[in-house]
Amino acid sequence: MKAEPEVQLPNLIQIGSTGRNSGKTTLALSLIRQLQQERPVYSLKIITISGQQKGHCQRGGAGCGICTAFTGGYELSEEVSAVGNKDTCRMLAAGSTKTFLLKALTENLAEGFAAAYRQVPPGAWLICESNSLRHFVRPRLFIMMDNQKKAKPSAAAVLSKADLRIRRAEDFDCRQLLQWDV
């Protein structure tokens, strides 16, 4: 992936992970609940799809259908239901003003994120789950959930850019957030 110059975004808190089921969403929900008391919080879940995975599940097997229904470029959708077990539904239920899902080919990630970021008003927080986005932006804080034996490739590529590496969502106190400057 060719990285463009990093854009500094002081309202962005990015959560990455060395693997699946690591606590990214648990941490995002905690951040949303606490930060929405201060100012509006928007949330974004990013699924980055490499060109060779287009139309196939990244994880093998039948998967959930997100990647198989994807046609290319990027697709940005807003979650409208706070009911359900999808991560985006849970973010909305936790108090996010608006929640988005961005599916993007690797080469379209910066463009797709720019479209999503235009939905966030000045002064609002943006909580984002993604590893690959760190190639393009410098968030206020990039937290890496580091609790897997081996980091997946997207995490290994940005692990050195993490501001903080934690094993469990409970290891981060949101009150520490303001100490992190871009």
Side-chain angles (χ1 to χ4, degrees):
M1 172 184 312
K2 182 183 174 207
E4 298 176 12
E6 293 179 352
V7 175
Q8 294 189 357
L9 301 174
N11 66 327
L12 174 63
I13 302 167
Q14 184 180 341
I15 306 167
S17 172
T18 53
R20 295 179 62 206
N21 300 317
S22 63
K24 290 186 310 289
T25 301
T26 300
L27 179 57
L29 298 176
S30 176
L31 286 164
I32 291 166
R33 285 184 193 106
Q34 291 185 40
L35 295 174
Q36 58 96 18
Q37 297 173 31
E38 172 194 323
R39 57 181 160 158
V41 176
Y42 285 59
S43 52
L44 173 65
K45 183 169 184 79
I46 297 178
I47 299 172
T48 306
I49 304 164
S50 72
Q52 63 250 73
Q53 294 168 324
K54 182 177 155 185
H56 299 91
C57 180
Q58 301 182 87
R59 299 178 178 123
C64 65
I66 287 177
C67 299
T68 54
F70 183 69
T71 58
Y74 74 86
E75 181 181 303
L76 180 64
S77 59
E78 181 179 347
E79 181 60 67
V80 293
S81 176
V83 178
N85 289 326
K86 292 189 310 184
D87 292 348
T88 52
C89 293
R90 295 171 60 207
M91 290 172 175
L92 204 55
S96 182
T97 302
K98 288 189 178 185
T99 298
F100 299 94
L101 174 65
L102 172 63
K103 297 183 275 187
L105 290 176
T106 303
E107 58 268 22
N108 299 101
L109 178 57
E111 176 187 9
F113 176 74
Y117 195 72
R118 286 191 291 272
Q119 306 299 313
V120 181
W125 286 110
L126 176 59
I127 308 297
C128 177
E129 289 187 23
S130 173
N131 285 329
S132 301
L133 182 64
R134 187 58 186 87
H135 291 289
F136 305 101
V137 301
R138 173 75 174 125
R140 179 181 202 117
L141 178 63
F142 178 36
I143 304 169
M144 179 64 73
M145 301 301 298
D146 188 4
N147 54 18
Q148 308 293 312
K149 290 183 180 178
K150 181 179 178 188
K152 61 185 180 178
S154 67
V158 295
L159 199 55
S160 65
K161 294 183 175 191
D163 297 305
L164 185 63
R165 291 164 70 167
I166 62 174
R167 297 190 57 72
R168 302 172 312 132
E170 299 80 20
D171 294 341
F172 182 72
D173 182 348
C174 291
R175 294 174 295 201
Q176 300 170 341
L177 180 63
L178 297 178
Q179 78 178 1
W180 295 96
D181 294 319
V182 289

